Amino acid sequence: MGGEDQRAQSSRVSASSQQSAEQATIILHSGSYDRVSYALSLASICLAMGMVTHMLLTYGGLKRFVKGHLEDLEGTDSAFQVMFQRGKASGGIRSIEEMLADTRKLGLKLYACPNALANMSIVPDDLVEEVDEVMGLATFVQLARNASINWYI
């Protein structure tokens, strides 16, 4: 991104952070199915409570959001995989795809880390359509700085 794009993005962040709604930020580093599911659950709760919620996808978390990989169990603990299969069969565990659709309807803002994209040779077009935009760490830290809740998962 050029300097002008970064300034425009910073202006949007500043305007967004001046809104009266509380904010939550989540950096999703892990691509493990259970951790991605947990991050989306936390986002859903924050959104339901009226909080503006932002999630930055990086490395393993970013890889999970590449088209065709939302439901992969690769990189997920084998004990969880067994529990997951039972939970899915009983209807007690929802898919990441379903949770993502629900959180997006509630207003989740989803961003991809440009450094992780470059280091992992992923282009934005490879990502699921729910990812809003590419956002650098400096801009995301501005969001986190004004948030009342910050999680790193």
Side-chain angles (χ1 to χ4, degrees):
M1 277 188 199
E4 188 173 308
D5 289 339
Q6 287 177 341
R7 283 189 297 278
Q9 204 172 39
S10 290
S11 300
R12 285 195 310 270
V13 169
S14 293
S16 167
S17 62
Q18 291 174 359
Q19 295 172 351
S20 60
E22 277 190 288
Q23 294 188 64
T25 63
I26 302 168
I27 296 176
L28 182 58
H29 182 267
S30 175
S32 175
Y33 198 100
D34 54 325
R35 291 181 184 197
V36 174
S37 177
Y38 191 68
L40 289 169
S41 292
L42 289 170
S44 182
I45 291 165
C46 289
L47 290 159
M49 294 174 71
M51 298 178 79
V52 176
T53 306
H54 306 273
M55 186 181 296
L56 178 68
L57 306 171
T58 188
Y59 294 98
L62 180 65
K63 186 177 175 186
R64 168 72 58 190
F65 287 80
V66 169
K67 291 174 187 165
H69 295 280
L70 281 177
E71 299 303 322
D72 288 352
L73 290 178
E74 179 184 320
T76 301
D77 179 80
S78 58
F80 175 79
Q81 289 184 31
V82 172
M83 182 181 71
F84 172 77
Q85 297 300 340
R86 281 194 305 250
K88 280 288 280 181
S90 72
I93 294 180
R94 298 177 58 224
S95 71
I96 288 175
E97 205 168 270
E98 293 169 318
M99 294 176 74
L100 179 59
D102 288 348
T103 55
R104 291 292 294 169
K105 285 178 192 168
L106 291 171
L108 175 66
K109 308 289 187 222
L110 204 54
Y111 311 104
C113 173
N115 289 338
L117 284 169
N119 288 332
M120 298 176 72
S121 300
I122 298 170
V123 295
D125 287 343
D126 292 342
L127 301 173
V128 296
E129 66 184 30
E130 289 84 358
V131 177
D132 292 302
E133 64 183 281
V134 175
M135 180 182 283
L137 282 176
T139 305
F140 194 79
V141 167
Q142 282 186 288
L143 291 171
R145 186 178 193 184
N146 295 308
S148 46
I149 298 175
N150 298 288
W151 284 297
Y152 177 85
I153 300 172

